[in-house]
């Protein structure tokens, strides 16, 4: 037999089932969000990390002229080396459409049956790939616009276009998603590489150090020791690549996104709790009289007295609220009712304003990322960059390109990989196996060139005569030379030569890999490429389209046996950069939607409570002549006014929130996110909150207008 | 007239007596024919009103009395359109109220009937002045530009003009009831219905309030008041006694 207490509790829940449902939905939404985020966080940190570590990532990769089995065995026998494996990696290009090429990183694997370091897993197809075929990383298949079994054209730096069949798919957890990089990853045998026109000799020595493989210092020490030993043994070490140990190439980005999601989802949970408190508070307010009856202490019934004039603060607030008026007493009533229950108003405004602030902040962050991309694009005053397979005579290349219709101007912008010189004459870079992440490029830049215009965080751009000067971009400064000041010496290793430069400026070049800019004269001296060029930047005439012109240029160069490695147009820049923020944008949209839902549910709950609590007042209003429409108008106005107030609070609240979250993400991702107020988001939030407030008010308003007067006047 | 200006200590002024005389010749403002109101309860049907027939004339000051549960409040609710009769006909100021929809009733009530509650029921977030303006805003009985002035006039008539900008919570019970009467008069309704208007007031204030209501009847309004207080019977021209939902007695309070 159910006790009367339980019957009352169940009755109370039944009588407020709408609000209980809303509260439950909001709590469920926020808990669901937190759970999803925590699950994602767990997956992306633990699983990605585990998957990445499961590949047995190389502590370092040493580039030599040739790595054979005997050498590998000898290296493995060293006590400071846990494992070693030979490999090769070639950056080629793949034709994904007619005369449409994308870069492809060819990973050359000597033995697919005994993958030891940077291991990947078979997904489908032949294993190992037969001669003349390749395996494609599964995230890259869509980029190739081909399917397994089809053939595509590949061209390596020294080879002619060659048709390779896609033999199957693999999954390499150590690589960044191909669609984010706009680059294809393929895996081939040395024999297939030879068929492509390259030497089948393996040039990379991948190692895993024995002691403390998570420490950069330990890896550097072991690599340096190994390099000295190799050099002494006649194996010249051209380059040492030591990527951040045990860290996926996109670990920083993922951590940044997950951190942001975690912050917002915890706030969402807090909002859910606030909503629950609002509902409970409303139920308690409604039951004050019932509680009093149970205590046998009630002595009055009537319209609930206002809290406007209760207490010192209440009186002060009351004086302010009394100034809220319109020509219509009914509207005045609606607006002042908003302030009637300070506690509930505080809850509701906190809920909605925080939701609004989070909505706006999430859009602000998105806008900041987009602004970074836009600024990066605005700093580029050329239409495409073409990188050559091998250095070619500069005059010839420039003349060939100038002759193409649609080309307005062409400039040499040669590039070479460089690394921080650590004083041991070793060329140690932070480059990942994909050759892109963690890389640092040194670019030859004519000081008077107007192809780029970057804002400077410090210092200035190159000027004529800055022969030993260098301008670093933001990422290069933050990741490779943190703390370096204008005028400081910058020591680099280019090839196997040490180079000393003086820091002239730090250019804000967002969303761009680490790079340093030096004069053509110094570039020629450092690289011994005088009179040669390996990359050019091209500006087109206003009516020329990039893709057809680039195809003509590539054909013209190839006719003269100048191989093209890469064509980067604004479209490919945009796709690569957009791909990196795709996840972020999706996450922010998810957060914003969740926030809006929780906030609107909170308002609906508060209004619903308010209507129930003021049932008797509505009866009085009806008794003195109010029509249903008048009652509806009052409740709707109250909801809209609350929504408007919350919006006005949300805008200033979003500013510190955006700055804080931006700082956290900026510091993690090494991409500074300056405060960008998205007025569009402000407008959208006002539209959402007002539409939501109206929607949230409809049901309480209709309920209020349908209350039978006799029952409302008798309402306890 | 200023509340309290009308003497009423045991005898009626000449003006009131004259008004009572005029009542018999005045038009019937409220007419009930066979009005019954039945509620469904868990114990079965309950007749709150049982075949009530009444004619109430313009200018009458009517007391509705009876024991608790006799049907007083139900009668008032039916007269004001707050509740609808289960059967019978109800004509108020020429309108067949039993045929009006809830929306029509709201408009009709706002313009025709001023309601005064026992516990004042002023809206706490509006000032006294705004409370009085509220019915005018609902019913648009007066142009917007005149409403504030009219509200102030009414408050002045009730002697609380100096309280106009205060919130109800800052007023005494008597002042709140005067404000509630001013609100009931806002649309200048021909009928004023008061449900135990003095039930929550001290005796002096009760006298003042009743004197004012009686004076309204003298000025031509029809006043119906539910009351328990026999001491105030001298203010009424007619007393209707209900018992078990039916009219048990209906007599003039004093000879005209």
């Amino acid at each position: 037999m159910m006790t009367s207490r339980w019957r009352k509790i169940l009755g109370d829940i039944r009588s407020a089932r709408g609000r209980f449902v809303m509260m439950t939905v909001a709590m469920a939404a926020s808990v669901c969000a937190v759970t999803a985020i925590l699950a994602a966080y767990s997956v992306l940190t633990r699983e990605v990390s585990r998957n990445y570590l499961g590949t047995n990532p190389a502590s370092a990769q040493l580039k030599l002229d040739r790595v054979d089995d005997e050498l590998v065995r000898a290296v493995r026998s060293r006590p400071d080396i846990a494992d070693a494996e030979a490999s090769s990696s070639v950056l080629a290009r793949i034709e994904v459409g007619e005369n449409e090429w994308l870069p492809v990183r060819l990973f050359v694997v000597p033995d697919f049956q005994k993958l030891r370091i940077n291991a990947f897993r078979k997904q489908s197809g032949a294993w190992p790939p037969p001669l003349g075929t390749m395996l494609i990383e599964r995230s890259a298949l869509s980029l190739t616009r081909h399917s397994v079994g089809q053939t595509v054209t590949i061209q390596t730096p020294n080879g002619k276009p060659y048709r390779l069949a896609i033999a199957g798919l693999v999954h390499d957890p150590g690589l960044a998603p191909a669609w984010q990089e706009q680059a294809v990853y393929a895996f081939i045998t040395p024999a297939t590489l030879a068929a492509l026109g390259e030497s089948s000799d393996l040039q990379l020595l991948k190692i895993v150090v024995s002691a403390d493989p998570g420490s950069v210092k330990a890896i550097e020490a072991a690599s340096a020791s190994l390099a000295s030993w190799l050099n002494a043994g006649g194996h010249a070490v051209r380059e040492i690549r030591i990527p951040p140990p045990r860290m996926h190439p996109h670990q920083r980005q993922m951590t940044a996104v997950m951190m942001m999601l975690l912050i917002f989802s915890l706030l969402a949970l807090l909002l859910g709790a606030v909503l629950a408190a609002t509902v409970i508070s409303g139920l308690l307010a409604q039951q004050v009289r019932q509680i009093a009856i149970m205590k046998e202490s009630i002595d009055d019934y009537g319209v609930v007295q206002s809290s406007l004039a209760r207490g010192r603060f209440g009186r002060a607030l009351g004086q302010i609220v009394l100034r809220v008026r319109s020509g219509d007493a009914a509207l005045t009533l609606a607006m002042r009712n908003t302030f009637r229950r300070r506690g509930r108003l505080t809850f509701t405004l906190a809920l909605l304003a925080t939701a609004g602030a989070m909505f706006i902040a999430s859009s602000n962050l998105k806008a900041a990322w987009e602004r970074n991309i836009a600024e990066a694009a605005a700093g580029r005053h050329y239409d495409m960059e073409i990188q050559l397979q091998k250095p070619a005579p500069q005059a010839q290349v420039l003349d060939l390109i100038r002759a193409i219709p649609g080309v307005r101007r062409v400039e040499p912008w040669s590039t070479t990989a460089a690394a921080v010189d650590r004083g041991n004459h070793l060329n140690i870079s932070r480059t990942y196996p994909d050759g892109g992440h963690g890389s640092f490029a040194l670019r030859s830049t004519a000081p008077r060139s107007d192809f780029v215009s970057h804002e400077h965080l410090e210092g200035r751009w190159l000027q004529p005569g800055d022969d030993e000067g260098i301008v670093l971009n933001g990422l290069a400064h933050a990741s490779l030379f943190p703390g370096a000041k204008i005028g400081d010496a910058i020591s680099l290793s280019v090839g196997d030569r040490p180079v000393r430069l003086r820091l002239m400026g730090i250019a804000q070049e967002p969303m761009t890999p680490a790079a340093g800019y030096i004069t053509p004269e110094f570039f020629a001296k450092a690289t011994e490429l005088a009179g040669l060029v390996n990359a050019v930047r091209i500006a087109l005439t206003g009516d020329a389209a990039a893709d057809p012109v680039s195809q003509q240029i590539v054909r013209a160069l190839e006719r003269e046996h100048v191989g093209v490695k890469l064509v980067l147009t604004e479209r490919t820049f945009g796709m690569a950069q957009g791909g990196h923020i795709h996840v972020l944008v999706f996450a922010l949209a998810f957060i914003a939607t969740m926030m809006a839902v929780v906030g609107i549910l909170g308002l609906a709950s508060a209004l619903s409570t308010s209507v129930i609590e003021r049932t008797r007042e509505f009866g009085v209003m009806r008794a003195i002549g109010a029509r249903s429409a008048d009652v509806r108008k009052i409740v709707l106005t109250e909801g809209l006014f609350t929504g408007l107030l919350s919006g006005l609070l949300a805008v200033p609240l979003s500013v510190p929130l955006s700055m804080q979250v931006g700082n956290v993400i900026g510091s993690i991702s090494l991409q500074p996110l300056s405060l960008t107020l998205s007025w569009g988001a402000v407008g959208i939030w006002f539209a959402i909150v007002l539409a939501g407030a109206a929607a949230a008010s409809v049901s309480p308003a209709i309920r209020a207008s349908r209350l039978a007067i006799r029952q409302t006047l008798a309402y306890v | 007239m200023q509340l309290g200006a009308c003497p009423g200590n045991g005898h009626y002024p000449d003006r009131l007596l004259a008004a009572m005389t005029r009542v018999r010749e005045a038009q019937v403002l409220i007419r009930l024919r066979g009005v019954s109101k039945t509620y469904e309860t868990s114990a079965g049907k309950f007749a709150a009103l049982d075949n009530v027939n009444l004619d109430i004339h313009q200018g009458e000051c009517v007391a509705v009395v009876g024991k608790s549960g006799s049907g007083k409040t139900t009668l008032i609710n039916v007269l004001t359109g707050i509740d609808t009769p289960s059967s019978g006909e109800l004509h108020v100021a020429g309108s067949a109220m039993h045929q009006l929809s809830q929306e029509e009733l709201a408009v009709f009530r706002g313009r025709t009937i001023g309601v005064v509650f026992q516990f004042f029921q002023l809206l706490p977030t509006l000032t006294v002045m705004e409370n009085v303006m509220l019915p005018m805003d609902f019913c648009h009985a007066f142009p917007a530009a005149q409403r504030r002035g009219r509200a102030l006039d009414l408050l002045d008539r009730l002697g609380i003009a100096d309280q106009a900008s205060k919130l109800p919570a800052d007023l005494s019970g008597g002042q709140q009831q005067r404000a509630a009467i001013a609100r009931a008069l806002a649309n200048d309704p021909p009928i004023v219905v008061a449900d135990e208007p003095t039930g929550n007031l001290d005796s002096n204030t009760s006298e003042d309030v009743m004197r004012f209501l009686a004076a309204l009847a003298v000025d031509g309004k029809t006043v119906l008041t539910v009351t328990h207080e026999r001491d105030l019977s001298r203010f009424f021209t007619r007393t209707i006694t209900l018992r078990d939902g039916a009219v048990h007695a209906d007599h003039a309070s004093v000879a005209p």
Side-chain angles (χ1 to χ4, degrees), chain A residues 529-681:
Chain A
L529 290 176
L532 301 175
V533 66
N534 65 10
V536 292
R537 287 178 174 176
I538 300 162
L540 303 179
T541 54
D543 56 345
D547 286 343
V549 173
S550 71
Q551 288 164 11
Q552 287 186 60
I553 292 171
V554 170
R555 279 197 292 270
L557 290 170
E558 287 178 343
R559 271 197 300 272
E560 299 301 322
H561 308 292
V562 177
V564 171
K565 182 167 73 176
L566 197 63
V567 177
L568 291 169
T569 62
E570 273 303 316
R571 184 173 63 82
T572 51
F573 269 127
M575 286 174 74
Q577 291 174 337
H580 279 80
I581 69 160
H582 180 80
V583 175
L584 181 76
V585 170
F586 177 80
L588 292 175
F590 171 73
I591 290 167
T593 306
M594 193 179 64
M595 288 302 95
V597 168
V598 174
I600 298 304
L601 284 174
L603 178 61
S605 170
L607 282 173
S608 186
T609 303
S610 175
V611 164
I612 290 172
E613 195 178 79
R614 302 209 318 271
T615 295
R616 195 178 173 87
E617 275 185 38
F618 291 118
V620 171
M621 282 188 261
R622 296 299 298 272
I624 63 173
R627 295 161 301 161
S628 298
D630 295 319
V631 172
R632 283 197 298 271
K633 188 172 79 176
I634 286 170
V635 178
L636 275 170
T637 305
E638 196 176 324
L640 289 171
F641 193 60
T642 306
L644 185 68
L645 281 178
S646 76
L648 293 174
L649 287 173
V651 175
L653 191 61
S654 71
V655 173
L657 190 62
S658 303
M659 289 171 70
Q660 286 302 318
V661 180
N663 285 343
V664 170
I665 295 172
S667 64
I668 294 172
S669 66
L670 296 179
Q671 292 289 346
L673 288 176
S674 53
L675 176 67
T676 306
L677 192 56
S678 167
W679 288 108

